[in-house]
Amino acid sequence: MSRIYLSPPHMGPAERSLLLEAFDSNWIAPLGPHVDAFEREMAARLGVGHAAALSSGTAAIHLALEILGVGPGDEVVTSSLTFAATANPIVYRGARPVFIDSTPESWNMDPALLEEELLACARRGKLPRAVVAVDLYGQCADYDRLQAACERFQVPLVEDAAEALGASYRGKPAGRFGALSILSFNGNKIITTSGGGMLLSDRQDWIERARFLATQARDPAPHYQHSTVGYNYRLSNLLAAVGRGQLQVLDERVAARRAHNAFYRQALAALPGIGFMPEAPYGRMSAWLTCITVDPAAFGASREQIRLALEKEDIEARPVWKPMHLQPVFSGCRARGGAVSAGLFERGLCLPSGSSLRPEERQRIAARIAACRSRP
Ligand SMILES: Cc1ncc(COP(=O)(O)O)c(C=O)c1O
């Protein structure tokens, strides 16, 4: 039996033929028509005006912060429960992250805590330069409330939708809720270009600026002239071709992951001590990863015992993100709240959720988890 991965790439025939077409056309060095088409198709799908295809989601966050003018001495407020890639670019800009705890309703940034933090900042006379909200594990944050708080204090909102392409909030797709929004096409995401990302906005000047910064900030001159420090952050034409093929099957990928989520719930929810990341009433999640919580006293085994039992059978499961306010690298940073995300880290486990996971595999995973009650 081969190893079951948490969220492996899932390619189809369209990706293969588009990639070969890009290869055969010799548009390899590195931009080309697939990059333009991928940007257009993604922007159209999400209903956002403009998009820049980039080498990673991290690069997209970095550029978003630069475009918003984040610099040394600034603070940027963000979610504590996330992958470090959300917070690292704040430090690249010389700014300091401030972490906000999750709400149990969605595991995303708690809007009431954001409001409290912005109010406290306003009273101190120094508002953060930006807020970066994360759509965790395929579920949107509560944007009506986050946007209202940001508008009240005139702080721009960035949406980190790296994990949530295919999810929606009040009928609108993830990736269109920030003044700038970002996506990731890293190998473990719902659709992948092996590595890649995108920056989206309704503001054309911002996306043009992102393309300029991402291609070494070359001034318009026949020779190489630079008045700004730039980056090498563009997505290659070959990878954009793969992304276009993946975008064609996004709805199928979401359906497969939601079906896994429904299966796990039906198979495990009745077990004492097992809970699930809730689907908030305001939206529809992509179920990028299905996450359970384990109360060891009620269940009879801890999440780590379950993880190790699965690992023994060559099944990959991962603890929920360790919150940023508990990370040694961010130990000097301010945090508002923290107990909710700390608890989710302690008890939370992400289960194999790839769209290519087979019914008999998920059956085996659920059976192994249930068996941990008697023999962890
Ligand atoms: C929430 C979140 N933000 C940002 C990123 C960074 O994306 P990338 O790996 O494409 O740089 C990831 C995942 O990798 C992520 O999960």
Side-chain angles (χ1 to χ4, degrees):
M1 254 178 310
S2 54
R3 180 165 173 78
I4 299 177
Y5 289 99
L6 189 72
S7 181
H10 183 181
M11 293 290 144
E15 291 83 324
R16 188 183 158 82
S17 66
L18 282 161
L19 177 62
L20 289 176
E21 188 277 320
F23 186 90
D24 293 340
S25 72
N26 206 35
W27 280 102
I28 290 173
L31 292 170
H34 286 292
V35 175
D36 304 338
F38 189 32
E39 292 175 346
R40 269 198 317 274
E41 287 160 8
M42 186 64 81
R45 158 119 200 173
L46 302 186
V48 184
H50 307 276
L54 301 169
S55 54
S56 70
T58 312
I61 298 171
H62 191 184
L63 292 182
L65 297 177
E66 177 150 349
I67 286 163
L68 292 174
V70 173
D74 287 334
E75 288 185 337
V76 174
V77 171
T78 191
S79 312
S80 186
L81 190 61
T82 185
F83 181 47
T86 307
N88 284 337
I90 297 169
V91 181
Y92 303 164
R93 295 296 308 150
R96 279 172 76 80
V98 176
F99 298 114
I100 305 284
D101 202 3
S102 300
T103 158
E105 183 195 34
S106 67
W107 297 15
N108 282 310
M109 183 186 282
D110 184 330
L113 291 183
L114 174 67
E115 182 124 26
E116 263 180 46
E117 177 61 29
L118 293 179
L119 190 59
C121 290
R123 290 205 173 117
R124 277 200 302 274
K126 188 173 173 4
L127 282 164
R129 183 67 73 147
V131 171
V132 182
V134 177
D135 299 332
L136 203 71
Y137 295 130
Q139 169 151 266
C140 287
D142 189 350
Y143 283 106
D144 282 353
R145 296 181 63 199
L146 295 181
Q147 283 172 337
C150 287
E151 273 161 27
R152 179 176 163 203
F153 294 95
Q154 297 281 295
V155 180
L157 177 65
V158 175
E159 179 187 7
D160 177 351
E163 302 179 3
L165 179 62
S168 63
Y169 176 80
R170 301 200 192 283
K172 292 184 184 153
R176 57 175 283 171
F177 294 100
L180 288 149
S181 299
I182 77 100
L183 300 171
S184 166
F185 313 118
N186 184 35
N188 62 359
K189 296 300 185 289
I190 194 156
I191 66 170
T192 179
T193 56
S194 88
M198 207 172 270
L199 182 66
L200 300 115
S201 177
D202 283 328
R203 278 195 53 175
Q204 188 173 354
D205 56 333
W206 281 353
I207 296 303
E208 280 169 3
R209 176 99 185 136
R211 292 197 188 107
F212 166 75
L213 290 169
T215 44
Q216 306 289 19
R218 282 179 63 182
D219 291 341
H223 53 281
Y224 286 94
Q225 174 160 309
H226 306 270
S227 314
T228 310
V229 171
Y231 310 92
N232 183 4
Y233 271 177
R234 278 296 244 166
L235 188 70
S236 89
N237 195 54
L238 294 180
L239 300 187
V242 176
R244 291 183 71 200
Q246 288 266 278
L247 188 54
Q248 290 174 15
V249 291
L250 175 60
D251 290 334
E252 287 166 40
R253 300 297 187 254
V254 171
R257 290 187 189 248
R258 284 186 60 91
H260 298 328
N261 188 274
F263 167 81
Y264 283 128
R265 279 174 196 270
Q266 167 264 315
L268 300 173
L271 294 176
I274 299 288
F276 280 80
M277 181 175 101
E279 182 165 33
Y282 54 61
R284 186 169 187 274
M285 60 192 191
S286 67
W288 171 56
L289 295 184
T290 289
C291 306
I292 59 169
T293 54
V294 184
D295 173 350
F299 183 69
S302 67
R303 79 111 155 89
E304 192 52 16
Q305 285 171 313
I306 295 176
R307 191 186 72 75
L308 291 172
L310 293 171
E311 188 55 51
K312 244 188 204 160
E313 301 203 1
D314 228 4
I315 298 167
E316 182 186 29
R318 293 263 181 98
V320 161
W321 300 127
K322 181 172 183 177
M324 293 304 112
H325 75 278
L326 299 178
Q327 297 287 353
V329 68
F330 296 123
S331 62
C333 298
R334 206 164 67 247
R336 188 161 290 265
V340 175
S341 53
L344 292 172
F345 167 58
E346 208 174 287
R347 290 178 282 108
L349 188 66
C350 307
L351 301 181
S353 304
S355 42
S356 53
L357 185 72
R358 294 195 305 271
E360 61 275 19
E361 290 176 321
R362 66 190 192 196
Q363 194 82 47
R364 187 154 74 85
I365 296 163
R368 188 65 194 90
I369 294 172
C372 285
R373 285 197 71 195
S374 45
R375 48 174 183 97

